[in-house]
Amino acid sequence: MKLYRYITEDDTSDFCHRVTDALNKGWSLHGSPSYAFDAAKGIMRAAQAVTKEVEGEIYTRETKLGEY
């Protein structure tokens, strides 16, 4: 089955670490990163989609994406 995650974080090194962690766990980048200004916080936010092919059951909403 194919899994999809959308990682979001303030545009800091924490965002890069989260994406790097996903890549090292076998996830692949999907598309380009996105950036948007969060007016409430006064900061930039970053986002990156990642996907992963895994063995297993058919996807359900109870699937814990972070466990893959």
Side-chain angles (χ1 to χ4, degrees), residues 1-67:
M1 97 180 116
K2 189 169 204 166
L3 302 177
Y4 172 91
R5 290 175 57 196
Y6 196 60
I7 300 169
T8 61
E9 183 72 52
D10 295 347
D11 188 18
T12 66
S13 62
D14 288 340
F15 171 73
C16 296
H17 287 290
R18 290 185 64 202
V19 173
T20 299
D21 183 54
L23 294 174
N24 281 290
K25 291 180 178 174
W27 293 82
S28 298
L29 298 176
H30 182 79
S32 300
S34 300
Y35 297 94
F37 183 70
D38 182 338
K41 288 184 167 183
I43 58 169
M44 292 298 290
R45 299 271 301 163
Q48 175 66 58
V50 293
T51 60
K52 185 176 185 180
E53 289 281 343
V54 299
E55 300 267 337
E57 301 174 21
I58 295 175
Y59 169 80
T60 68
R61 291 189 64 83
E62 287 73 39
T63 300
K64 305 289 187 208
L65 299 175
E67 293 178 3

